[in-house]
Amino acid sequence: MKIIILGAGQVGATLAENLVGEENDITVVDINAEKLRALQDKFDLQVVHGHSAHPDILKKAGAEDADMIIAVTNSDEVNIVACQVAYSIFNTPTKVARIRTNQYIKYRDKLFNKDDLPVDHFIAPETLVTDYIRRLIDYPGALQVVEFAGGKVSLVAVKAYYGGLLVGHALSTLKEHMPHIDARVATIYRRGHAIKPIGTTIIEADDEVFFVAATKHIRAVMSELQKLENSYRRIMIAGGGNVGYGLAKALEKTHSVKLIERSKERAEYLSSTLENTVVYAGDASDPELLQEESIDEVDVFLAVTNDDEANIMSAMLAKRMGAQKTMVLIKRSAYVDLLQGGEIDIAVSPQQATISALLTHVRRGDIVNVYSLRRGAAEAIEAIAHGDSTTSKVVGQTIGKVKLPPGCTIGAIVRGEEVLIAHDNIVIETDDHVILFLVDKKHIGEVERLFQVSAFFL
């Protein structure tokens, strides 16, 4: 696939890194020549220096025969105009834009269509991050929660702790513990390495366990791996930007929410807009303010300002002063692995959330959801099976006979309203939503080909 990425910032560079090794022809456009040189030194791709929305620059990048343009510059307006130029002049089939301004998102249904602004798919990073963190709050103790098939089934990552009912026991005993609940362990990461789970696999303390289950059973399965935490009630948010505001608005009706915003003017606006959130104008790393607002009674401290260092320092301080859990927004992906697990319980990367959404539109075959896991090393995929036994490599096959690539497992199938946890004897049918877990994303091409319908195949 020939893909042009507009913008060589963190998202554009990470996306290029994800796609360049997957038999794609990648060209990156940016006005910053230094960023382009750094990318070209690291990866086998083409670069074009210039303004991402200018027709001559897009032509130089190969827009005339590109399959897709992904506009992720720092300017919404540049991204939108670039999609318009790609459509009007080059007739580019697929156009994806990152949109961050709430005013555009608010009127998206009227704006983004072929008759007005021809953006085929738009990605709103702040909304993605807000939804991501909200799911973590809904499932206390989870490291990551991703949903498929309209929320019917979820893939959850949890750390197994001493005292968990299943810790020290084989996976085969999971059914004995929960005879009326079906779940499947997709993979286990032990000391950073993936282990393909089988019935005799023993769960050890500190294992990072990814399991698939119907969403309504998630908390029951989590209780087998760790002592189930109480639901979070008291939330403190540091930062009143788009993410902080979105979280407060989403949580204030069901939780007790306090928000600290450094800018007095912004704090006044938030106070007048939010209904049940207590807003303070101040510094979230001020120990006196945290003590006054009973930080030791807070269930979750969320640091979501635009400054990584400020987020880290305020969260560490909050934890030391008694906050039960800390979650931190970290823009620099390299920091995530270094920080998570100590005084910072969960580090959230907006880049990875954005990349997941972008990959959904890049993958071949009818792949409707893609989630980047473990900082991009693994992927969870929702693919729809089409065709019949003569045109599809999966339809009419039992799960046990599907030729999956190494490190790939099928976790569940959603058939209409029914969730079927994967077992070898289940036959895949047309229109099934198949949930897969891929440990090594270098095999993604093989997964894509499995779900592509062909008039004939070997």
Side-chain angles (χ1 to χ4, degrees):
M1 186 181 292
K2 184 170 184 178
I3 301 171
I4 300 174
I5 299 173
L6 307 178
Q10 288 180 318
V11 170
T14 305
L15 183 63
E17 181 180 358
N18 274 265
L19 297 177
V20 76
E22 299 177 8
E23 302 175 5
N24 293 303
D25 180 0
I26 305 297
T27 301
V28 181
V29 179
D30 201 279
I31 57 173
N32 188 317
E34 187 176 338
K35 288 183 178 179
L36 294 175
R37 278 195 297 271
L39 271 178
Q40 202 165 32
D41 287 344
K42 290 175 65 177
F43 307 115
D44 181 19
L45 47 73
Q46 303 298 314
V47 299
V48 174
H49 179 230
H51 193 288
S52 293
H54 288 178
D56 288 348
I57 296 298
L58 289 176
K59 184 176 182 179
K60 188 176 179 181
E64 290 176 310
D65 59 350
D67 298 298
M68 177 181 294
I69 281 182
I70 302 175
V72 289
T73 74
N74 289 327
S75 167
D76 287 355
E77 290 73 21
V78 170
N79 295 340
I80 292 169
V81 172
C83 288
Q84 179 73 68
V85 171
Y87 172 78
S88 300
I89 299 177
F90 303 109
N91 198 29
T92 305
T94 305
K95 301 158 291 296
V96 183
R98 178 173 65 174
I99 308 293
R100 305 180 70 176
T101 306
N102 284 331
Q103 284 295 310
Y104 294 137
I105 297 170
K106 182 179 178 180
Y107 297 102
R108 59 187 180 274
D109 294 335
K110 294 182 178 180
L111 288 175
F112 302 130
N113 56 73
K114 290 183 178 179
D115 295 328
D116 296 295
L117 297 173
V119 176
D120 299 309
H121 309 285
F122 77 92
I123 308 298
E126 283 81 4
T127 302
L128 293 170
V129 170
T130 300
D131 292 344
Y132 184 102
I133 295 174
R134 176 63 193 268
R135 286 194 294 270
L136 292 173
I137 291 173
D138 287 343
Y139 297 100
L143 297 174
Q144 189 167 7
V145 182
V146 296
E147 295 180 343
F148 300 97
K152 296 182 185 70
V153 63
S154 294
L155 174 75
V156 181
V158 295
K159 179 170 281 190
Y161 291 120
Y162 287 107
L165 298 176
L166 199 60
V167 175
H169 298 277
L171 285 177
S172 58
T173 63
L174 182 61
K175 191 66 177 176
E176 298 173 16
H177 285 258
M178 300 184 300
H180 304 298
I181 295 176
D182 208 1
R184 182 182 178 91
V185 174
T187 196
I188 298 168
Y189 282 89
R190 183 170 296 162
R191 292 180 285 277
H193 298 287
I195 298 173
K196 185 174 181 179
I198 58 176
T200 57
T201 303
I202 306 294
I203 297 290
E204 296 182 4
D206 293 330
D207 281 352
E208 189 175 334
V209 181
F210 284 80
F211 70 86
V212 179
T215 300
K216 62 184 178 181
H217 297 318
I218 291 302
R219 284 181 64 83
V221 181
M222 288 177 63
S223 69
E224 295 295 311
L225 297 163
Q226 54 182 222
K227 184 179 178 181
L228 201 59
E229 297 183 20
N230 294 326
S231 296
Y232 300 140
R233 297 296 304 165
R234 295 173 293 275
I235 310 293
M236 184 176 285
I237 301 170
N242 289 338
V243 173
Y245 168 76
L247 283 168
K249 192 171 181 63
L251 296 171
E252 65 178 0
K253 291 182 180 179
T254 53
H255 298 73
S256 172
V257 181
K258 296 180 179 179
L259 187 151
I260 302 173
E261 165 57 38
R262 182 183 292 272
S263 164
K264 183 178 179 181
E265 182 180 358
R266 177 67 176 174
E268 289 174 351
Y269 167 78
L270 293 171
S271 181
S272 65
T273 305
L274 294 166
E275 297 177 6
N276 300 313
T277 299
V278 180
V279 181
Y280 301 91
D283 184 354
S285 55
D286 178 356
E288 291 185 9
L289 175 58
L290 294 182
Q291 188 171 18
E292 286 175 7
E293 297 312 319
S294 305
I295 187 65
D296 58 326
E297 297 178 4
V298 167
D299 295 320
V300 184
F301 180 89
L302 299 167
V304 292
T305 75
N306 290 322
D307 187 320
D308 282 357
E309 284 74 19
N311 290 341
I312 293 167
M313 296 308 295
S314 63
M316 291 177 70
L317 178 62
K319 187 73 172 207
R320 291 180 183 180
M321 293 182 69
Q324 179 185 333
K325 283 273 186 179
T326 55
M327 299 184 193
V328 175
L329 194 65
I330 300 292
K331 292 183 177 179
R332 298 182 190 177
S333 300
Y335 283 8
V336 174
D337 285 329
L338 295 174
L339 294 168
Q340 184 164 288
E343 288 174 308
I344 292 171
D345 295 291
I346 297 178
V348 177
S349 167
Q351 279 75 31
Q352 286 304 320
T354 304
I355 293 300
S356 294
L358 289 168
L359 289 176
T360 298
H361 305 301
V362 173
R363 296 291 178 234
R364 300 174 181 89
D366 195 353
I367 291 178
V368 293
N369 271 310
V370 175
Y371 293 102
S372 182
L373 307 173
R374 291 192 59 84
R375 271 62 75 189
E379 286 187 6
I381 301 163
E382 176 183 351
I384 301 178
H386 292 296
D388 54 34
S389 58
T390 64
T391 60
S392 169
K393 296 178 182 177
V394 297
V395 173
Q397 298 280 344
T398 61
I399 289 176
K401 290 185 177 179
V402 175
K403 295 180 180 178
L404 296 170
C408 181
T409 56
I410 295 177
I413 289 174
V414 179
R415 184 173 295 160
E417 295 299 314
E418 186 180 10
V419 176
L420 305 172
I421 299 303
H423 297 289
D424 285 350
N425 61 346
I426 293 177
V427 177
I428 299 174
E429 298 180 1
T430 301
D431 295 331
D432 280 353
H433 287 240
V434 183
I435 316 303
L436 305 100
F437 187 95
L438 188 61
V439 170
D440 189 342
K441 59 185 293 298
K442 73 179 181 182
H443 296 295
I444 185 62
E446 297 170 57
V447 175
E448 291 173 336
R449 286 188 286 274
L450 275 176
F451 288 88
Q452 288 176 331
V453 176
S454 175
F456 55 89
F457 61 85
L458 298 177

